[in-house]
Amino acid sequence: MERVKVNLQPIVSKINLPTVLKTAILPGDSIERLFIATQIGEIFYIGNGAIKTFLDIRSQVIKLGVRGGGYDERGLLGLAFHPQFNYNGLFYLHYSVAGTQGPGALPETSMPDPCDPKTINRKWVNRETQFDHIDTVEEWILHANGQPKKRRTLLNLRRPFFNHNGVNSLNFSPETGKLVLTTGDGGLGYDPFNLSQDDMEIAGKIIEIDIAKNTSFDNQHVVTRFNELPAPIQEILTVIAKGVRNIPGISFQRYYNHYIKYAGIVGQDIVESIFSFIHYKPIPVTELLMNSSPAQEISINFGWRGWEGAFPTSIMNVCSANSNLDDKTVVYYSEAIETAVKRIQPLTNYYHRDPRPDKFEGTALTGVHPYMGKAIPALNGSVVFTDLARREESRTPVKGVLAYTRVRPDCKLNDYNVIETDYNFGSESAYYVSLGANLDQTRLYLGVYSSMKVTDFNQGTVFEIIP
């Protein structure tokens, strides 16, 4: 793969943390506009060279950054426009609901100890009271007077911890026309309740929602499992993947008569991974509930929590006297064996520790998008991804990373190349928090924030990635 250098062209600055970047054509309009959703609950769009407010739901979003010193993974996490938004005005939101703060599902650390069974086989008990917050997925409509209004609730999900809720979590599939929801495993660390591999748990899955079916049903139930949902909602849900730790959405790339699906999985301690697949066996939730045959097994399994990308999930046993003797233990050995032949292999991995001079040491994957444009020829047909911050302890200020890879003809694990960026951030840190694209994937947008704290306001900039 070629070495690629790009420029970053600022589009808008001094906004709050941009979590979703995508384009749409407003009803009655003919111009594709860039929409920016911020974590605290604002949605803006760029029109006639100015930034305009599309929707402000800050009062409906949970108060962020109260715990954890200002860091938070909740908030407005998903925005998707109906494929016919230009005609019907329908769009969809995923956010953490104000007033739902709970105590969390575990009072102690989730760090597993292979020698202590109670830390390996935890159960999430008293779910109605022991949870962190509630996430909601809603359908909205933009009325002819230009005012958005909520139409109905599709899902209310009780989440065990504050993190791993996913981001850029709502996208429409050009293949099926359905709304796709990507959910993280519920958080803390090491998926303590193994929600991602339990077929009945909504956490840790990729789910299709048939929004054209049961269009009038308003779901007020708060649940964690598929079998707790009312029948009209069960009937519109299909599960296409499991084994998700945390995920910055799903993206689609046209390939002849098929679509390649890309899903990036945020790692635990070792590696960040990007997966790709074309064919999958969607399992309606109503069939999952019957549990009548092993043939009903969800076909796409990313392997978590037994596997972290291409590696069995490990913990470090620190030898304080000699760090060269630090030992890694496979923490969920039996689960790694069980899922070894069921999981799919990553398209590419990048590591938290990597001494190679032409690579980088990553922190967290924050976006994955195919690029089909011709303006940057070396990237045409490739998969571009972003990492939050290059892991270099001596590097100040902090800066994120752009990189790219491609699907190999033999579908085996591929390497990646760093994309050099020509932009001077000066003395400010530049965390790469989101990656977006326009409708035909010929333009890419990068969201950057100068702080890791959502309580540090107005420190965001959105760029277009240009030659």
Side-chain angles (χ1 to χ4, degrees), residues 253-270:
Q253 182 182 29
R254 184 74 181 246
Y255 181 74
Y256 295 102
N257 295 324
H258 300 286
Y259 282 90
I260 305 175
K261 276 72 72 175
Y262 297 103
I265 307 297
V266 183
Q268 179 71 51
D269 295 321
I270 303 171

Side-chain angles (χ1 to χ4, degrees), residues 122-270:
R122 299 180 190 269
K123 301 297 181 184
W124 185 8
V125 296
N126 301 323
R127 297 185 181 206
E128 291 77 15
T129 57
Q130 297 299 120
F131 66 95
D132 182 84
H133 69 282
I134 293 169
D135 277 356
T136 189
V137 178
E138 297 174 343
E139 180 179 77
W140 287 62
I141 188 168
L142 181 65
H143 286 297
N145 62 4
Q147 295 301 311
K149 185 178 180 181
K150 176 187 165 184
R151 291 187 76 232
R152 60 174 175 149
T153 299
L154 297 172
L155 292 169
N156 284 314
L157 306 177
R158 192 179 286 113
R159 306 291 284 172
F161 308 107
F162 87 104
N163 58 340
H164 299 184
N165 303 299
V167 70
N168 188 30
S169 54
L170 295 175
N171 289 280
F172 270 92
S173 167
E175 194 169 36
T176 66
K178 296 179 181 179
L179 179 65
V180 182
L181 168 68
T182 49
T183 69
D185 65 8
L188 212 54
Y190 294 94
D191 193 2
F193 308 123
N194 202 18
L195 304 181
S196 55
Q197 287 296 329
D198 188 330
D199 288 354
M200 280 299 104
E201 299 286 351
I202 300 173
K205 309 296 185 296
I206 300 180
I207 301 162
E208 287 184 324
I209 306 174
D210 188 351
I211 46 86
K213 188 177 181 181
N214 299 339
T215 56
S216 62
F217 189 84
D218 186 30
N219 177 28
Q220 299 303 314
H221 294 74
V222 180
V223 304
T224 59
R225 295 169 59 85
F226 289 117
N227 58 1
E228 299 168 347
L229 288 165
I233 296 298
Q234 291 175 351
E235 291 167 2
I236 69 173
L237 301 183
T238 301
V239 182
I240 64 176
K242 68 177 182 179
V244 174
R245 183 178 180 272
N246 200 18
I247 178 170
I250 186 171
S251 56
F252 301 81
Q253 182 182 29
R254 184 74 181 246
Y255 181 74
Y256 295 102
N257 295 324
H258 300 286
Y259 282 90
I260 305 175
K261 276 72 72 175
Y262 297 103
I265 307 297
V266 183
Q268 179 71 51
D269 295 321
I270 303 171

